[in-house]
Each structure stands twice: as structure tokens, then as C-alpha cells.
Amino acid sequence: MKELNIGIIGIGNMGGTHMRNIYDGKIPGARLAAVCDIDPEKCEKAAAALDGVAVFGDYKEMLTSGLADAVIIAVPHYLHPPIAKEAFQHGLHVLTEKPAGVSATEVASMNEAAENSGKVFGIMWNQRTNPLFQKAREFMKNGVLGTPKRLVWIITNWYRTQSYYNSGTWRATWSGEGGGVLLNQAPHNLDLWQWIFGMPDEISAICNEGKWHNIEVEDEAIITGYYSNGATATFITSTGEYPGTNRLEISGSKGKMVIEKGVLKLSLLDQDEREFCFTESEGFPRYQLNELEFHQTEPEAAHIGILKNFTNAVLYGEELIAPGYDGIREITISNAAYLSSWTGKKVSVKNFDSSLFDSLLKEKIDNSKPKVAECSNAEGQACRWQTNW
Amino acid sequence: MKELNIGIIGIGNMGGTHMRNIYDGKIPGARLAAVCDIDPEKCEKAAAALDGVAVFGDYKEMLTSGLADAVIIAVPHYLHPPIAKEAFQHGLHVLTEKPAGVSATEVASMNEAAENSGKVFGIMWNQRTNPLFQKAREFMKNGVLGTPKRLVWIITNWYRTQSYYNSGTWRATWSGEGGGVLLNQAPHNLDLWQWIFGMPDEISAICNEGKWHNIEVEDEAIITGYYSNGATATFITSTGEYPGTNRLEISGSKGKMVIEKGVLKLSLLDQDEREFCFTESEGFPRYQLNELEFHQTEPEAAHIGILKNFTNAVLYGEELIAPGYDGIREITISNAAYLSSWTGKKVSVKNFDSSLFDSLLKEKIDNSKPKVAECSNAEGQACRWQTNW
């Protein structure tokens, strides 16, 4: 059987989880060849716990060691593009944690490096493994809902306490993390939005910084996306509401789809609304609807699903569920939302001015205040990475 | 038994319904004394059908006839304030159809006339009689949900076909009606928004004109309201989606409330989130919620409920469910949404610039195109005035 030698860069929260999953043999065909972290304590623990796995304190050494054919990048967001680019230059396959990076400029240059290398490039959009989101995408692609009209996603169940934000010095700072709920929690949903409903052409947004917590980045955002065909998308997210909501509604000319609490409900028309709107003689007509329900009966494959798929993509050419190249779509939506909020203007996504974004982000970084970590309590809650209904 | 002599000005769609309800004795204590319409055909029909009811072709004659102690104004929106003002000047009580008018300037001057007259002044916010909305208001007023954080109302089930818009020459024109879905269909929801959640301080909005129909006014709007305490409100409405949604969600510091499909669901915390956010040591805590459900078991009292209440207010001093003075709140939200959309800016509601709105509306009116009515098919669907789940 073929085997893929994997190195993990960063074995904190997420990288540590991937490390255990691969080491424990949960990913057929994947072998944990090496791990790397700048924290000596983490390295010591890993060396003691892992048999036959090389441990590095410097990722550059790992990249040139020849031990790994592929790397998983699980370091703070800013570092994804530069490390990925180096890995590609060394001819390695790359699976990066989400988001792809902090700035679309950086992510574009990472994509270029990936393309030049010809290596397999994946991104950890683990919620794409959810069967309901997969079904939603299929319905949109196959025209089951007709022409897209509207998306409304209330995704306010990313609740975090102040202690979460206090658990790391880099967390929720412009310099360390590069953003708040849009960069850390909601990227999954921003990606699913574009994956299911397509990329908006323009965006306006309000991102409220430090509204519910003592942090300098946003803990709430309201985004409106505009499509050239007239469709709109409203996206509402927050880490300051309990209990929150996770409800995705999509309307099209042939009906409506709602995903909430692990159920996808379809309400379909026999005829396209765009037709009967102009032929129906009744002013307030009522139509029969075909109602269908799909239940999520099993937990989504999540990270393990993405790891298996990435491994199979390298070994057997399996199609990627989450190609790394897709990361630029999500980060452009997120960057555009910030830019709109910072400038008070509607901004183009299609011709996104990423250099303006970069210069305004730099101002934020320059004014970013150092922060003292209080404690580290964000470990060991693996279930939170499943779609939270 | 005391009796209130009522005159109705305008006996088209709504006025005709009120006429039948009063004439048929459905409003105890109310007597239909007179009706008035500029359409001779409607007057003839009314004269033939109604026994002992005076019929006028000119409302001014009705106001001075001494036959009516109170009038119901059910003419196109623009005419509500001027006719109400005249009625107050003649010492009559007034119940006006919604919305209060088209411009907050006009409505403010109507309110002033009402105040000077000291007469009873009501407005037809019939959806305020819905027991679920009443309960929602009670919960917010009594602090059951704690401090308000967010309102999201997806109210896209105001579906209309092109034939509806073609059914009257004044319909869906700036000159004849003064607006689209925000002025005709959604005012109920805009009023309930402010009635339950309070008035926003600022508003930004996108109102899309003629997006789904051949009309010059908006058939879709997305509004965001901002509150001085940091709370936000997102309001999405459309007449171009089938099937639509009517889902109101309100979050507060002590929990969440969702009203949809005739059910109000409450999810309450034992402790205020604003407290545990800063004391909880877990970063991603899970709390037990107290879940309560309230079902709407009976149809709301609707127009008949408001007519009874108005009659009792005049006869016995009963407190009004919908004081006419409240109309300015709804129309200011609606005017502010237009102004924000027309100027591309966030606008103040608290210090609303109604003269700027008036001048921009005048431009719209000046460019308004004459329209030919095709047919009249919007009669006889009384059930549509109930809350549509």
C-alpha cells in the first residue's frame, strides 16, 4: 500500500488534533513523519508521546529534511502563506488550516506558488464535509431552486467568553491574528456561502470591534453581498450571543431551502416564479408547494474527512473536497467586509482593491496593543469543530 | 347604551371592509352613520346596499354634516394627514389606515393637529392584535430577555404578482402611492419592530426599485437599524419571493425569542450573559436553557379588534392598542430607509432630516410616470390581513 509521509507545522490546538488523528492511524495511507513547533515544551511532550516521529523546532529544517512529502500548516493565520510558499518551493504537498491567510494579496501569491509547484494543495474547510451543505450545493448547481434570489445566514452561535480571548497573546489582536469573528470563527460559513451560492460582486458590511468583549478586533459583523443578477446575501455573525442561531435560508425562483438544527427543508414550486409573476391574474396567489426534508443522521466527517481526502488526493488523485485555491474566495469576502466597514462604503469583490485593504490593515496593526495571556483553556473540545446547530 | 357615529372616508378595498364590519354590527357600540367616496359608482352601490347611512361624494361635506362623531380614513396614503387634520379641526375623532402618511413631516403636523384637538386618534396597526406579538412586547418590556442585543426579521412573504401592481393607476408609483413594499405591505412589520424592540437611532438600507416587477418603487428592502446601546436590527422584506418567510428573532442578554409559523419560542438563560462572559473560565461554555413555547391558537382580532378598541376608547376611555401618534415612528423608520438608500449613507432616525427626505421624494414624484390600470383583482381576500405565517 502506498503511504504519504506527513509533517505538521504547529502542534497547538488544531495541529495537535491532526497529529493525534494521523498518529492514531485514523487516516489510512497517512503516516506521521514529523512534527514541528517553536514551543520547546510542546516539542518535548511530542517527542515523549510519539514513536518514530521526528520533532523539529524550526519548520525550515523540517521542510529540507526529506522526511515529509506533505505538510499540514497549523500556525497563526498570518503565517499560512509564507510557510506554504516555502513548502511548495521544496516540492511538498500542502494542506493549510483555514483561513488561507489574512490578506488576499498574500493568499494570491500563495496560490501562484502552488500552481508553479504543481503539488496537491488543500485547505481545512472541514464543514464542507457536512452532508446537508453538500446537498444544498448540489441543489443550487443543478438548478433545483432555479435562479438564486437571496441568501440569509444567521450564524450567531460562535459564542466565546472573555477568557477565550484572554487565552493567547496573539488572539483577537490585529497584529497577532489579523481579525476577529470573520477571520477566526466564521470563515467556515463565509466559505460555504460562496461554495453553495457563489461569489458576490460587491459587499457592504458593518464589523463592530470589541462590542461584547475587551478585544480590539470585531466580535460581530453584518454583511450584505450583491450579485450581478440582482440576488443578495445577508450574513450575520457574532461571538457575543447566547444561545446563538445557525440558520441558512436560500431562496430561488423555484422555491426555498432552509438549513437549521441538522435538517434541510426544501419547498419547491412546480413552475418558476419568474414566469407566473407576469402571467398570473391573481394579485395574491397561493401555490401548492412540494415539501421535502433531509436529516443529518450522522456526524460530518470533519477534519478527519478532509485529512483522508487530502491523503487520497496525493496518493490516488482523488478530487479535493476543499482545494487550497478556494481559500482566496473566502478571504476576499472577509477582506472586503473589513474594507467596507473601515471605509463606510460598498466595495467591489470582483475587482477587489487588496492593496487598499493591506494599507488600512497595516494601520490597525501599527496601533495594535500588546496583550497578556491569562490562561489557556481552549483545548480538548473537539466536538466544537462539527457544525454547531 | 352609548353609541359612536362613524363616517368612513374612502370605501375601496379597506374602507369597504370596515364599512361592512360596522354595518353588520360586528363592532358593539359603533354605528355606521355615513360613507364617502369620490367614485360615483361606489357611492351608488353603497346607497343601494346600506339602510339609514348617508352617502357623500365629498369628504368635506361629511365632516361638516354633523352626522359623524368619528371618521375612518381609508384613502391613498398621501391623503391621510391632510384629511385627518381637517377632521380634527372639525372636532372629530380619527382612525386612520396605515401608514400614517408618506412623509414624516406631514405626519408630524397631523399629530400636532390631533394633540390640539384632544380627540381620540387611532391607527390601523391591526397586527398589534396578534397575541404572539403582544407577548413578545411584554417579554421585552418586562426584561425577560434582558438587555436587547439583536433583532432579525425576515419578512419576505408579502408576495405580489405583476397583475397586483397593474390593478390601480396609483399603485407602486412615487406620485400615487409614495413608495413600495416599505410603504404598502411592510409597515405592519416596521411598526411591530419599533413597538417590540424600540426605535433605532440610525439606519442604513438598500431599497431595490423595480427589481422583481415592472414598477418604479421598491419591491425589496434590506434595512439595518443601530441602537445607542449597541443593539442592531436587520429587516429584510420583499414582494418577489415565493414561498416567502416570516421569521422574527430577537436576542437579549438573557436569551432568545423566535416567532415563526404561529409559534413563539423562548430560550432563556438562568444568568445574564453579560455577567458570565467576564467571569466564566471556560472559553466555549454550554449552558442549560429554559425552553418555552407559546402557540397562536386563535386568529388575531385584526381590523375588527382595532375597530372595537377605537370605539371603546371614544365611548369608555379604553386604552388604545394603536394610538395614532405612534404612526410617526413607523413612517420615520420607513422614510429613513429610503433616504439611506437614495443617498448611500447611514442616516439618523433620532434627528431625522425629513426636509431632505421630502425634497428627494419630490424629485421622485416629478419623474414619476403615468400608469394605466389593467384590471382590478385585489378584492375580497380578507384573510390576507391576518399575520401571514
Side-chain angles (χ1 to χ4, degrees), chain A residues 362-383:
Chain A
K362 194 176 172 303
E363 282 177 26
K364 294 268 184 189
I365 293 169
D366 291 344
N367 294 319
S368 188
K369 295 210 180 67
K371 192 172 155 241
V372 183
E374 267 181 11
C375 57
S376 179
N377 62 6
E379 313 268 344
Q381 299 198 37
C383 67

Side-chain angles (χ1 to χ4, degrees), chain A residues 159 211 230 245 256 281 377, chain B residues 211 230 245 256 273 281 377:
Chain A
Y159 186 69
K211 178 161 164 182
T245 294
K256 187 172 81 170
S281 63
N377 62 6
Chain B
K211 179 161 163 181
T245 294
K256 188 172 82 170
E273 182 278 329
S281 63
N377 62 6

Side-chain angles (χ1 to χ4, degrees), chain B residues 206-360:
Chain B
I206 302 288
C207 306
N208 290 312
E209 297 168 2
K211 179 161 163 181
W212 305 114
H213 306 88
N214 297 326
I215 52 173
E216 59 183 34
V217 295
E218 88 291 352
D219 46 12
E220 175 186 86
I222 303 175
I223 308 177
T224 310
Y226 309 88
Y227 291 77
S228 55
N229 83 330
T232 58
T234 301
F235 185 94
I236 300 169
T237 192
S238 169
T239 61
E241 284 166 49
Y242 199 101
T245 294
N246 182 358
R247 182 184 185 277
L248 171 60
E249 169 174 321
I250 293 177
S251 298
S253 58
K254 289 178 94 173
K256 188 172 82 170
M257 165 163 70
V258 176
I259 304 183
E260 191 179 11
K261 294 176 184 163
V263 183
L264 185 159
K265 291 186 186 176
L266 259 184
S267 307
L268 298 178
L269 289 160
D270 286 328
Q271 200 192 343
D272 194 296
E273 182 278 329
R274 293 289 73 204
E275 291 169 25
F276 66 67
C277 180
F278 297 96
T279 54
E280 171 66 59
S281 63
E282 281 293 319
F284 316 73
R286 293 274 171 127
Y287 294 98
Q288 192 69 35
L289 294 165
N290 305 308
E291 309 271 8
L292 294 164
E293 274 194 20
F294 302 88
H295 290 252
Q296 187 187 337
T297 48
E298 284 178 33
E300 67 209 37
H303 294 92
I304 289 178
I306 295 291
L307 287 172
K308 284 181 178 172
N309 171 247
F310 175 75
T311 303
N312 290 338
V314 177
L315 296 180
Y316 312 109
E318 188 173 292
E319 193 185 347
L320 284 173
I321 296 167
Y325 298 103
D326 284 11
I328 190 121
R329 294 165 163 264
E330 184 279 325
I331 203 67
T332 305
I333 294 178
S334 157
N335 282 190
Y338 286 131
L339 188 58
S340 169
S341 184
W342 295 342
T343 60
K345 289 181 184 156
K346 195 191 263 193
V347 304
S348 171
V349 174
K350 217 171 173 178
N351 302 301
F352 182 61
D353 188 349
S354 71
S355 62
L356 176 59
F357 168 82
D358 290 343
S359 67
L360 293 179

Side-chain angles (χ1 to χ4, degrees), chain A residues 13 148-150 152 154 156 159-164 171 204 206 208 211-214 220-222 224 226 229-234 236-247 249 251-256 258 260-261 265 267-269 273-274 276-278 280-289 344 346 375 377-379 381 383-384 388, chain B residues 13 148-150 152 154 156 159-164 171 204 206 208 211-214 220-222 224 226 229-234 236-247 249 251-256 258 260-261 265 267-269 273-274 276-278 280-289 344 346 375 377-379 381 383-384 388:
Chain A
N13 252 349
K149 284 184 178 175
R150 182 189 304 287
V152 183
I154 308 176
T156 52
Y159 186 69
R160 297 294 182 264
T161 59
Q162 184 64 40
S163 75
Y164 162 82
R171 269 198 202 286
S204 59
I206 302 287
N208 290 312
K211 178 161 164 182
W212 306 114
H213 306 87
N214 297 327
E220 175 186 88
I222 304 173
T224 310
Y226 309 89
N229 82 330
T232 58
T234 301
I236 301 169
T237 192
S238 169
T239 62
E241 284 166 49
Y242 198 101
T245 294
N246 183 357
R247 182 184 185 276
E249 169 174 323
S251 299
S253 59
K254 289 179 95 171
K256 187 172 81 170
V258 176
E260 191 179 10
K261 294 175 185 164
K265 291 185 186 178
S267 307
L268 297 178
L269 289 159
E273 182 277 331
R274 293 288 74 203
F276 65 68
C277 180
F278 298 95
E280 170 66 59
S281 63
E282 281 293 319
F284 315 74
R286 293 275 172 127
Y287 293 97
Q288 192 70 36
L289 293 166
K346 195 191 264 193
C375 57
N377 62 6
E379 313 268 344
Q381 299 198 37
C383 67
R384 75 171 192 268
N388 197 0
Chain B
N13 253 348
K149 284 184 177 175
R150 181 188 306 287
V152 183
I154 308 175
T156 52
Y159 187 69
R160 297 293 183 266
T161 59
Q162 185 63 39
S163 75
Y164 163 82
R171 267 198 203 287
S204 59
I206 302 288
N208 290 312
K211 179 161 163 181
W212 305 114
H213 306 88
N214 297 326
E220 175 186 86
I222 303 175
T224 310
Y226 309 88
N229 83 330
T232 58
T234 301
I236 300 169
T237 192
S238 169
T239 61
E241 284 166 49
Y242 199 101
T245 294
N246 182 358
R247 182 184 185 277
E249 169 174 321
S251 298
S253 58
K254 289 178 94 173
K256 188 172 82 170
V258 176
E260 191 179 11
K261 294 176 184 163
K265 291 186 186 176
S267 307
L268 298 178
L269 289 160
E273 182 278 329
R274 293 289 73 204
F276 66 67
C277 180
F278 297 96
E280 171 66 59
S281 63
E282 281 293 319
F284 316 73
R286 293 274 171 127
Y287 294 98
Q288 192 69 35
L289 294 165
K346 195 191 263 193
C375 56
N377 62 6
E379 313 267 345
Q381 299 198 39
C383 67
R384 76 171 191 268
N388 197 359

Side-chain angles (χ1 to χ4, degrees), chain B residues 71-84:
Chain B
V71 288
I72 297 173
I73 301 174
V75 292
H77 322 314
Y78 273 116
L79 301 171
H80 297 170
I83 295 181

